[in-house]
Coordinates of all heavy atoms in Angstrom, one line a residue:
I1 N 86.1 109.9 103.1 CA 86.8 108.7 103.6 C 88.2 108.7 103.1 O 89.0 107.8 103.6 CB 86.0 107.4 102.8 CG1 86.3 106.2 103.4 CG2 86.5 107.3 101.3 CD1 85.4 106.1 104.8
L2 N 88.7 109.6 102.3 CA 90.1 109.6 101.9 C 91.2 109.4 102.9 O 92.1 108.6 102.8 CB 90.3 110.9 101.0 CG 91.7 111.1 100.4 CD1 92.0 109.9 99.5 CD2 91.7 112.4 99.6
P3 N 91.1 110.2 104.0 CA 92.1 110.1 105.1 C 92.3 108.7 105.7 O 93.2 108.4 106.2 CB 91.7 111.2 106.1 CG 90.8 112.1 105.4 CD 90.1 111.2 104.4
Y4 N 91.3 107.9 105.4 CA 91.2 106.5 106.1 C 91.4 105.5 105.1 O 91.3 104.2 105.5 CB 89.9 106.4 106.8 CG 89.6 107.6 107.8 CD1 88.6 108.6 107.4 CD2 90.1 107.6 109.1 CE1 88.4 109.7 108.3 CE2 89.8 108.6 109.9 CZ 89.1 109.8 109.6 OH 88.7 110.7 110.4
L5 N 91.6 105.6 103.9 CA 91.7 104.6 102.8 C 92.9 103.7 103.0 O 92.9 102.6 102.6 CB 91.7 105.2 101.5 CG 90.4 105.8 100.9 CD1 90.7 106.3 99.5 CD2 89.3 104.7 100.8
G6 N 93.9 104.1 103.8 CA 95.0 103.2 104.1 C 94.5 101.9 104.8 O 95.3 100.9 105.0
G7 N 93.3 101.8 105.4 CA 92.8 100.5 106.0 C 91.7 100.0 105.2 O 91.1 98.9 105.7
A8 N 91.5 100.4 104.0 CA 90.4 99.8 103.2 C 90.6 98.5 102.8 O 91.6 98.2 102.2 CB 90.0 100.7 102.1
P9 N 89.7 97.5 102.8 CA 89.8 96.2 102.2 C 89.7 96.3 100.8 O 89.2 97.3 100.2 CB 88.7 95.4 102.9 CG 87.7 96.4 103.3 CD 88.4 97.6 103.6
A10 N 90.1 95.2 100.2 CA 90.2 95.1 98.7 C 88.7 95.4 98.1 O 88.6 96.1 97.1 CB 90.5 93.8 98.2
A11 N 87.7 94.7 98.7 CA 86.4 94.8 98.1 C 85.9 96.3 98.1 O 85.3 96.7 97.1 CB 85.4 94.1 99.0
D12 N 86.3 97.1 99.0 CA 85.8 98.5 99.1 C 86.6 99.4 98.0 O 86.1 100.2 97.3 CB 86.1 99.1 100.4 CG 85.1 98.6 101.6 OD1 84.3 97.7 101.1 OD2 85.1 99.1 102.6
L13 N 87.9 99.0 97.8 CA 88.7 99.7 96.7 C 88.1 99.3 95.3 O 88.1 100.1 94.5 CB 90.2 99.2 96.9 CG 90.8 99.7 98.1 CD1 92.3 99.2 98.1 CD2 90.8 101.3 98.2
K14 N 87.7 98.0 95.1 CA 87.1 97.6 93.9 C 85.8 98.4 93.6 O 85.6 98.8 92.4 CB 86.9 96.2 93.9 CG 88.1 95.3 94.0 CD 87.8 93.8 94.1 CE 89.1 93.0 94.2 NZ 89.9 92.9 92.9
A15 N 85.0 98.6 94.7 CA 83.9 99.3 94.5 C 84.1 100.8 94.1 O 83.5 101.4 93.3 CB 83.1 99.4 95.9
L16 N 85.3 101.4 94.8 CA 85.5 102.8 94.5 C 86.0 103.0 93.0 O 85.8 104.1 92.5 CB 86.6 103.4 95.4 CG 86.2 103.8 96.8 CD1 87.4 104.2 97.6 CD2 85.3 105.0 96.7
S17 N 86.7 102.0 92.5 CA 87.2 102.0 91.2 C 86.0 102.2 90.1 O 86.4 102.6 88.9 CB 87.9 100.8 90.8 OG 87.0 99.6 90.6
K18 N 84.8 102.0 90.5 CA 83.7 102.3 89.5 C 83.1 103.6 89.7 O 82.1 104.0 89.0 CB 82.6 101.1 89.7 CG 83.0 99.8 89.7 CD 82.1 98.7 90.2 CE 82.6 97.3 90.0 NZ 81.5 96.4 90.4
D19 N 83.6 104.4 90.7 CA 83.0 105.8 90.9 C 83.8 106.9 90.4 O 83.5 108.1 90.7 CB 82.9 106.0 92.5 CG 81.9 104.9 93.0 OD1 81.0 104.4 92.2 OD2 82.0 104.7 94.2
N20 N 84.9 106.7 89.6 CA 85.6 107.9 88.9 C 86.2 108.9 90.0 O 85.9 110.0 89.9 CB 84.8 108.5 87.9 CG 84.2 107.7 86.7 OD1 84.9 107.0 86.2 ND2 83.0 107.8 86.5
V21 N 86.8 108.3 91.0 CA 87.3 109.0 92.0 C 88.7 109.8 91.8 O 89.1 110.8 92.5 CB 87.6 108.2 93.2 CG1 86.2 107.6 93.8 CG2 88.5 107.1 93.2
N22 N 89.3 109.4 90.7 CA 90.6 110.0 90.3 C 91.6 110.2 91.4 O 92.0 111.2 91.9 CB 90.3 111.4 89.8 CG 89.6 111.4 88.5 OD1 89.9 110.5 87.4 ND2 88.6 112.3 88.3
M23 N 92.0 109.0 92.0 CA 92.8 108.8 93.2 C 94.2 109.3 92.9 O 94.7 108.9 91.8 CB 92.9 107.4 93.7 CG 93.8 107.2 94.9 SD 93.8 105.4 95.4 CE 92.2 105.3 96.1
N24 N 95.0 110.2 93.6 CA 96.2 110.5 93.4 C 97.3 109.3 93.6 O 96.9 108.4 94.4 CB 96.7 111.6 94.4 CG 96.1 112.9 94.1 OD1 95.9 113.2 92.9 ND2 95.7 113.7 95.2
V25 N 98.2 109.1 92.9 CA 99.1 108.0 93.0 C 99.8 108.1 94.4 O 100.1 107.1 94.9 CB 100.2 108.1 91.8 CG1 101.3 107.0 92.1 CG2 99.5 107.9 90.6
S26 N 100.0 109.2 95.0 CA 100.6 109.3 96.2 C 99.6 108.7 97.3 O 100.1 108.1 98.3 CB 100.9 110.8 96.7 OG 99.6 111.6 96.6
T27 N 98.4 108.6 97.2 CA 97.5 107.9 97.9 C 97.3 106.5 97.6 O 97.4 105.6 98.5 CB 96.0 108.5 97.7 OG1 96.0 109.9 98.1 CG2 95.0 107.7 98.6
F28 N 97.4 106.2 96.4 CA 97.4 104.7 95.8 C 98.6 104.0 96.5 O 98.3 102.9 96.9 CB 97.5 104.7 94.3 CG 97.6 103.4 93.7 CD1 96.4 102.6 93.7 CD2 98.7 102.9 93.3 CE1 96.5 101.3 93.1 CE2 98.9 101.5 92.7 CZ 97.6 100.8 92.6
V29 N 99.8 104.4 96.6 CA 101.0 103.7 97.0 C 100.9 103.5 98.6 O 101.7 102.8 99.0 CB 102.3 104.2 96.6 CG1 102.4 104.4 95.1 CG2 102.4 105.8 97.2
T30 N 100.1 104.2 99.3 CA 99.9 104.0 100.8 C 98.7 103.1 101.1 O 98.4 103.0 102.3 CB 99.8 105.4 101.4 OG1 98.6 106.1 100.9 CG2 100.9 106.3 101.1
L31 N 98.0 102.5 100.1 CA 97.0 101.8 100.4 C 97.4 100.4 101.2 O 98.6 100.0 101.1 CB 96.3 101.3 99.2 CG 95.5 102.3 98.3 CD1 94.9 101.9 97.0 CD2 94.4 103.0 99.2
R32 N 96.5 99.9 101.8 CA 96.8 98.4 102.5 C 97.4 97.5 101.5 O 96.8 97.3 100.4 CB 95.4 98.0 103.0 CG 95.5 96.8 103.8 CD 94.1 96.7 104.6 NE 93.9 95.4 105.2 CZ 92.7 95.0 105.9 NH1 91.8 96.0 105.8 NH2 92.6 93.9 106.4
R33 N 98.5 97.0 101.7 CA 99.2 96.2 100.7 C 98.5 95.1 100.2 O 98.5 95.0 98.9 CB 100.6 95.7 101.4 CG 101.4 94.9 100.4 CD 102.7 94.5 101.0 NE 103.4 93.5 100.2 CZ 104.2 93.9 99.1 NH1 104.4 95.1 98.9 NH2 104.8 93.1 98.2
E34 N 98.0 94.2 100.9 CA 97.1 93.1 100.4 C 96.0 93.5 99.6 O 95.6 92.8 98.6 CB 96.7 92.1 101.6 CG 95.8 92.7 102.6 CD 96.5 93.2 103.7 OE1 97.7 93.7 103.7 OE2 95.9 93.1 104.9
S35 N 95.3 94.6 99.9 CA 94.2 95.2 99.2 C 94.7 95.6 97.7 O 94.1 95.3 96.7 CB 93.6 96.4 99.9 OG 93.1 95.9 101.1
L36 N 95.9 96.4 97.8 CA 96.5 96.8 96.5 C 96.8 95.7 95.5 O 96.5 95.7 94.4 CB 97.7 97.7 96.8 CG 98.2 98.5 95.6 CD1 98.9 99.8 96.2 CD2 99.2 97.7 94.8
M37 N 97.5 94.7 96.1 CA 98.0 93.6 95.4 C 96.8 92.8 94.7 O 96.9 92.0 93.7 CB 98.8 92.6 96.2 CG 100.1 93.3 96.8 SD 101.1 93.8 95.3 CE 102.2 95.0 96.1
S38 N 95.5 92.8 95.2 CA 94.4 92.0 94.7 C 93.8 92.9 93.6 O 92.9 92.3 92.9 CB 93.4 91.7 95.8 OG 92.8 92.9 96.2
L39 N 94.1 94.0 93.3 CA 93.4 94.8 92.3 C 93.9 94.5 90.9 O 95.1 94.1 90.6 CB 93.7 96.3 92.5 CG 93.3 97.0 93.8 CD1 93.7 98.4 93.9 CD2 91.7 96.9 93.9
T40 N 93.0 94.5 89.8 CA 93.3 94.1 88.5 C 93.9 95.5 87.8 O 93.5 96.5 88.3 CB 92.2 93.6 87.8 OG1 91.2 94.6 87.6 CG2 91.6 92.4 88.5
P41 N 94.5 95.4 86.7 CA 94.8 96.6 85.9 C 93.6 97.5 85.6 O 93.7 98.7 85.8 CB 95.5 96.1 84.7 CG 96.1 94.8 85.2 CD 95.1 94.2 86.1
R42 N 92.5 96.9 85.4 CA 91.3 97.5 85.0 C 90.8 98.4 86.2 O 90.4 99.6 86.1 CB 90.2 96.7 84.4 CG 88.9 97.4 84.0 CD 88.0 96.5 83.5 NE 88.4 95.9 82.2 CZ 88.2 96.4 81.0 NH1 87.6 97.6 80.9 NH2 88.7 95.7 80.0

C-alpha cells in the first residue's frame, strides 16, 4: 500500500501506527495534509 499512502485518510494512518511499519520520514512528509495534521505525537 506504500505507493498509494499519499491519499490515505487519517483513520487508516492511525491504524497503521499500531503495526510497527517504520515509515520513512520522506514518506511521512508527503502524506495527505489534513490526515497528517490530525495525528497525535504518539
Side-chain angles (χ1 to χ4, degrees):
I1 201 71
L2 179 58
Y4 307 97
L5 283 181
D12 290 5
L13 294 177
K14 291 174 183 290
L16 276 180
S17 71
K18 303 174 183 178
D19 294 338
N20 300 314
V21 295
N22 292 314
M23 179 183 289
N24 288 322
V25 175
S26 57
T27 299
F28 178 76
V29 298
T30 61
L31 295 175
R32 190 170 166 177
R33 181 178 173 83
E34 62 265 30
S35 300
L36 189 155
M37 294 301 155
S38 70
L39 298 175
T40 66
R42 183 180 293 275

